[in-house]
Amino acid sequence: MTQQRYRDLAEWPLMGTALVFLAAYAWQVIGRVEGSAAEWLEAVLWLTWGIFALDYAANLWLAKDRRRWFLWNLHELLIVALPFFRPLRLLRLVTLLSVLHRTVGETLRGRVVTYVAGSAALLVFVGALAVLDVEQSAPDAKILTFGDAVWWAITTITTVGYGDMYPVTPIGRMVAAALMMSGIAVLGVVTASIASWLVQRVEESTEAAAESAEEPVRAELADLVEEIASLRREVADLRDRRTP
C-alpha cells in the first residue's frame, strides 16, 4: 500500500465524513440542540474527528519521507489538533474542496465552476456557521440568527462589508479574517482562470486568422511549383529531341 493508493481509496470516504460532520455541526449550531440530542451530535462530531486523526496517522505512516511530509503538512496536524475550538473544527472541510477540484476535471471551465460554485458556497455556509456559533450567545452580539450570519458571510467574502453586522468576539473576528482572505483567494483564482481562458481564445483566433491569410499564398506557391515542374519537363523534352 502506497500513500497515493491510500489517498485515492480514502478520498470519497473522507468526503462523506466531512459531509456528516458538516450536517451534525450545522444542526447543533442552527437548532441550538440541547439534552440527549446534543450529546448524540457531539458524539458524531468526535467520531468524525477520530476518522480524520486516523487519516492523518495513515498518511504519515505511508509517506516515503515521513519527516519531510510532516513538515510540509503541519496545517493538517493543526486541523486535527484543534478539536476543542468548535469553529476551528470546520477547517476539516477543506477535504471537500480538494476532492471537488480533483473530480470535476482538468478543463478550465470545470475549475472555474468548481471554485465559484463549490468554494464560494461552502465558505459562505461554513463561515456563517462558525460566526453564529461564537456570536449568538455573546454580550452585545450583532449576529443572532443564521440568516444574519449568512448575510454577514456574503458581504465579508466579497469584501463589501456594509458594517451593519460584525463579530464582537475574538474568535468571531478570526473567522472574519479567514473568510476575507479566503474570498480574496477564490476571486483571484477565478479571475486568473478567466484571464487564461481569454488569452487562449485570443491565441486561437490569431492562429486561425494567420492560417486563413496564408492560405492564398500557399495556393499560389503550389501553382508556381507546379508551373516550374512543368517547365522543367518541357526543357527536358526539348533536350531529348535535340540529342542525336
Side-chain angles (χ1 to χ4, degrees), residues 14-33 37-38 40-46 48 52 86 89-90 92-93 96 122 125-126 129 146:
L14 285 176
M15 185 175 182
T17 302
L19 288 173
V20 170
F21 165 78
L22 179 59
Y25 186 78
W27 189 3
Q28 189 179 58
V29 173
I30 299 174
R32 302 184 183 183
V33 181
W40 276 103
L41 290 175
E42 192 66 23
V44 171
L45 294 177
W46 279 103
T48 59
F52 279 101
R86 286 164 53 95
R89 297 176 183 181
L90 293 167
R92 301 172 201 162
L93 296 174
L96 295 177
L122 183 61
F125 186 64
V126 167
L129 285 177
F146 183 66

Side-chain angles (χ1 to χ4, degrees), residues 49-106:
W49 174 83
I51 294 174
F52 279 101
L54 288 175
D55 174 68
Y56 176 83
N59 275 290
L60 181 60
W61 178 261
L62 294 173
K64 293 182 179 179
D65 188 343
R66 295 175 185 170
R67 183 174 179 274
R68 179 182 177 84
W69 189 90
F70 173 80
L71 293 176
W72 280 92
N73 294 274
L74 288 175
H75 63 285
E76 294 193 18
L77 176 62
L78 183 66
I79 292 171
V80 173
L82 291 174
F84 298 103
F85 298 93
R86 286 164 53 95
L88 298 182
R89 297 176 183 181
L90 293 167
L91 291 172
R92 301 172 201 162
L93 296 174
V94 297
T95 306
L96 295 177
L97 295 182
S98 62
V99 173
L100 283 173
H101 178 63
R102 274 179 270 182
T103 55
V104 166
E106 296 300 324

Side-chain angles (χ1 to χ4, degrees), residues 7 41 53-54 58 63 69 99 110 146 148 150 164 218 231 241:
R7 291 173 71 91
L41 290 175
L54 288 175
W69 189 90
V99 173
F146 183 66
D148 292 341
V150 170
D164 54 345
R218 291 176 181 174
L231 290 173
R241 293 173 183 174

